[in-house]
Amino acid sequence: MTATKDSTRPSRAAARPFTLWREVLTAYAAPALTAGTAGVVTGQADLTLAACTSIAGTSAVVALLVGTWLHRGGRPRRWTTTLPRVALTALLVIATTGAAAGLGWFTAHWLPAHTPLPTAPWLQRLRIDLPVSAALATTIITLRWRSTTATPRS
């Protein structure tokens, strides 16, 4: 007996609606657990701390901002649904990663030079944590959102 795909049932991803609070919670919990576990296993206390702060925090904030912008009150912008999924994802990843890299540079270099805040190893870590977290969160949120939107038929 051969298995066939039931074309009448929606896929698992499409069956679950895009719920922003759930996506943001997942965007925080997933990197916190994975990076935190890696920090504990490898004995890197700084990674364990960063997992729950800069890594997961950035992921949650980016997921909230990108998800809110994409969802826009339940009515997506036309170009976000007509643009190919890969192109939309790449465009948003470049934008958020660039912004996060700029924020990481600003925090790590400009702040200690212009404020009484001393240079610290955790500040230098932000140059990598922020853009990587932003890129991953944007990719996942954009792909997840696109899987729940109905693509217009021409």
Side-chain angles (χ1 to χ4, degrees), residues 24-33 35 49-65 103 126 129-130 133-134 137:
V24 171
L25 182 64
T26 302
Y28 182 86
L33 291 172
L49 179 62
C52 296
T53 56
S54 63
I55 296 171
T58 301
S59 294
V61 168
V62 168
L64 177 66
L65 294 174
L103 182 62
L126 294 179
D129 288 352
L130 298 185
S133 296

Side-chain angles (χ1 to χ4, degrees), residues 4-27:
T4 60
K5 185 175 180 179
D6 184 9
S7 61
T8 59
R9 280 186 24 194
S11 68
R12 185 172 184 259
R16 206 174 83 204
F18 185 86
T19 308
L20 188 58
W21 70 266
R22 191 178 318 148
E23 303 297 335
V24 171
L25 182 64
T26 302

